[in-house]
């Protein structure tokens, strides 16, 4: 039952936001009593803590699965972006903003873990891209990995990128293209254009 509650809570948090969803909402949605929820999670903060950890574990496992397919590095980044967007349900309710505002300690822990997951993935991706000759050979790998992470987290700032002007799906596509155009070789550009053209069809 704990796993079922965790899955449903994570789904609601992503759809409506961490602050917006109450324990009553969760109980009503699941057709169970609040007492049942509290028998597994002592309070909402604990539920959010476990929910964010559960979500990151799922995303991390999914990214590992994609990496094991050994696609070319440019295609790999697009596959990971697509998977993460699907898992986060396009972040329609800006849950990360609510998490940062109302649960800053949990947000800080999540941010650190996100960096650890992404750093390993992006560093490996850049190295492979350089070996394949589709990323420039003179890249400062650590700098590129960190600037990429900084950008991915910064574009979720609603004050900088309000959703009505920057729909999240388009914003992520634009950012990934921006990142890649700064590091690819002419050979990499051919691959990038093929992916962009196929995505537009």
């Amino acid at each position: 039952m704990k796993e079922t509650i965790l899955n449903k809570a994570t789904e609601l948090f992503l759809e409506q936001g961490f602050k917006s969803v109450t324990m009553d909402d969760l109980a009503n949605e699941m057709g169970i009593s609040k007492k049942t929820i509290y028998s597994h999670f002592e309070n909402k903060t604990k539920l959010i803590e476990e929910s964010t950890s559960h979500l990151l574990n799922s995303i991390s496992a999914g990214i590992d699965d994609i990496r094991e397919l050994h696609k070319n590095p440019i295609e790999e980044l697009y596959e990971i972006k697509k998977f993460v967007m699907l898992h986060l349900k396009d972040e329609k309710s800006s849950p990360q903003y609510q998490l940062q505002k109302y649960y800053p300690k949990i947000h800080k822990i999540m941010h650190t873990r996100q960096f650890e997951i992404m750093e390993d993935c992006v560093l490996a991706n850049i190295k492979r891209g350089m070996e394949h000759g589709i990323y420039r050979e003179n890249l400062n790998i650590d700098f590129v990995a960190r600037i990429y992470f900084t950008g991915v987290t910064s574009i979720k700032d609603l004050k900088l990128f309000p959703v009505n002007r920057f729909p999240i799906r388009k914003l992520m596509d634009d950012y990934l293209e921006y990142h890649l155009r700064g590091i690819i070789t002419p050979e990499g550009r051919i691959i990038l254009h093929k992916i962009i053209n196929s995505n537009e069809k």
Side-chain angles (χ1 to χ4, degrees):
M1 176 56 91
K2 182 176 182 177
E3 188 78 11
T4 307
I5 294 170
L6 203 54
N7 287 332
K8 177 51 75 173
T10 302
E11 183 185 317
L12 290 178
F13 289 144
L14 289 175
E15 286 175 352
Q16 300 173 34
F18 289 99
K19 176 70 173 173
S20 306
V21 177
T22 65
M23 296 299 247
D24 282 314
D25 293 333
L26 180 58
N28 292 337
E29 184 74 24
M30 296 188 70
I32 59 176
S33 67
K34 274 204 297 185
K35 187 178 177 183
T36 303
I37 298 173
Y38 283 120
S39 69
H40 296 284
F41 304 95
E42 59 181 281
N43 53 44
K44 184 181 172 183
T45 301
K46 190 65 181 170
L47 176 59
I48 290 173
E49 195 177 292
E50 292 199 35
S51 174
T52 53
S53 179
H54 172 71
L55 179 63
L56 278 179
N57 288 340
S58 299
I59 289 174
S60 181
I63 289 173
D64 287 343
D65 288 343
I66 292 169
R67 289 173 65 185
E68 283 174 17
L69 297 174
H70 300 294
K71 297 191 172 196
N72 82 66
I74 295 174
E75 193 178 349
E76 179 181 85
L77 284 183
Y78 272 93
E79 286 297 317
I80 289 172
K81 180 203 63 94
K82 193 190 304 179
F83 169 77
V84 171
M85 291 296 293
L86 194 66
H87 231 69
L88 295 179
K89 302 181 185 297
D90 293 350
E91 298 188 300
K92 295 182 184 73
S93 62
S94 306
Q96 189 142 317
Y97 172 76
Q98 288 197 11
L99 192 67
Q100 185 173 8
K101 186 173 181 181
Y102 299 106
Y103 302 93
K105 286 182 181 175
I106 298 174
H107 177 266
K108 191 173 181 181
I109 293 167
M110 187 176 177
H111 187 78
T112 302
R113 280 201 59 204
Q114 274 181 313
F115 175 69
E116 288 165 359
I117 293 166
M118 190 176 281
E119 183 183 38
D120 178 53
C121 170
V122 176
L123 283 174
N125 181 276
I126 296 167
K127 286 173 185 171
R128 282 204 310 121
M130 291 167 76
E131 287 164 9
H132 289 206
I134 59 176
Y135 294 166
R136 291 188 288 110
E137 61 181 24
N138 62 340
L139 295 174
N140 179 332
I141 298 173
D142 286 333
F143 170 77
V144 173
R146 287 165 187 263
I147 209 75
Y148 180 67
F149 176 76
T150 303
V152 164
T153 50
S154 294
I155 62 175
K156 292 175 182 173
D157 184 332
L158 294 180
K159 290 176 185 173
L160 280 175
F161 298 97
V163 179
N164 61 325
R165 288 177 58 195
F166 301 94
I168 186 66
R169 193 174 285 273
K170 178 76 166 62
L171 184 59
M172 291 299 289
D173 277 339
D174 287 347
Y175 181 68
L176 183 52
E177 182 182 344
Y178 175 82
H179 163 71
L180 285 166
R181 286 194 183 279
I183 64 174
I184 52 177
T185 60
E187 291 82 0
R189 198 174 299 122
I190 292 168
I191 297 169
L192 177 62
H193 287 171
K194 280 182 183 174
I195 293 172
I196 291 171
N197 290 337
S198 67
N199 286 345
E200 286 175 351
K201 288 177 183 175

